Amino acid sequence: MSGKDALVELLRLQREQEAAQAPADWNTVLVDWTRNLRQVLDTMRAWLDADAFKKFLRVESFTVSLSEDHLGSYEVPALRILAPAGRTVEINPRARLVSGAQGRIDMRSGPNRAILVLGQDGLWRFPATYVSGRSEVVLSEDSFSEALRELLA
């Protein structure tokens, strides 16, 4: 079978699989995504509320507008972390519909960026290379602190 024939066969099989699946309930997808975002951002805020950070960091909540195919335009929560020397880290949800994940959040300070993705298993992770050059790292208080340290360095 030629490369072209193999591609046509793959596309035919994918179309059949798509037709056999029930259409997604996009409203439920959006509600679940927003709930996941609120939970992870609340967790981050709680980590930053520790006495060790209170005298150095201020955390602000705000909303960002996103627009995605199937979900339309919607608003989601985000965080801004204000650090000494005028340094800022914004934690912005980027998209729910991303390849290989259930959502993505960007942490950005100037040109520096760390990415978090929500896995199929419901765990948030830093993909490989975003935290000290290690392989994929599950979001924890320590991995979050390390990502912030690298962004603010």
Side-chain angles (χ1 to χ4, degrees):
M1 181 182 299
S2 73
K4 179 181 176 183
D5 292 338
L7 176 58
V8 169
E9 179 62 15
L10 173 67
L11 294 172
R12 184 189 66 72
L13 288 172
Q14 287 177 343
R15 180 179 279 176
E16 286 177 5
Q17 289 174 349
E18 182 181 47
Q21 293 176 351
D25 177 356
W26 295 111
N27 188 53
T28 299
V29 170
L30 182 57
V31 167
D32 290 346
W33 168 234
T34 303
R35 179 180 39 78
N36 281 322
L37 287 173
R38 287 189 197 294
Q39 287 174 342
V40 73
L41 294 175
D42 285 349
T43 298
M44 290 174 179
R45 184 181 270 282
W47 291 334
L48 294 169
D49 199 33
D51 287 338
F53 296 125
K54 281 185 181 180
K55 58 187 164 197
F56 301 113
L57 302 175
R58 192 171 84 226
V59 181
E60 299 175 347
S61 297
F62 64 103
T63 59
V64 294
S65 297
L66 300 176
S67 182
E68 299 186 72
D69 290 343
H70 305 294
L71 298 178
S73 295
Y74 60 96
E75 290 193 348
V76 290
L79 293 178
R80 182 176 297 114
I81 302 166
L82 305 166
R87 299 297 305 258
T88 301
V89 175
E90 287 199 355
I91 303 174
N92 290 320
R94 298 298 292 171
R96 163 54 183 86
L97 304 177
V98 293
S99 180
Q102 298 293 309
R104 173 179 157 178
I105 295 174
D106 284 3
M107 296 174 60
R108 184 177 290 266
S109 179
N112 302 323
R113 179 178 62 172
I115 294 173
L116 280 166
V117 293
L118 179 59
Q120 304 289 342
D121 58 4
L123 296 176
W124 287 95
R125 291 179 173 82
F126 292 99
T129 74
Y130 283 104
V131 179
S132 296
R134 294 182 276 178
S135 60
E136 180 178 88
V137 177
V138 173
L139 177 65
S140 66
E141 187 171 8
D142 284 339
S143 64
F144 178 68
S145 295
E146 178 66 13
L148 278 179
R149 186 191 64 74
E150 290 183 10
L151 288 169
L152 292 169

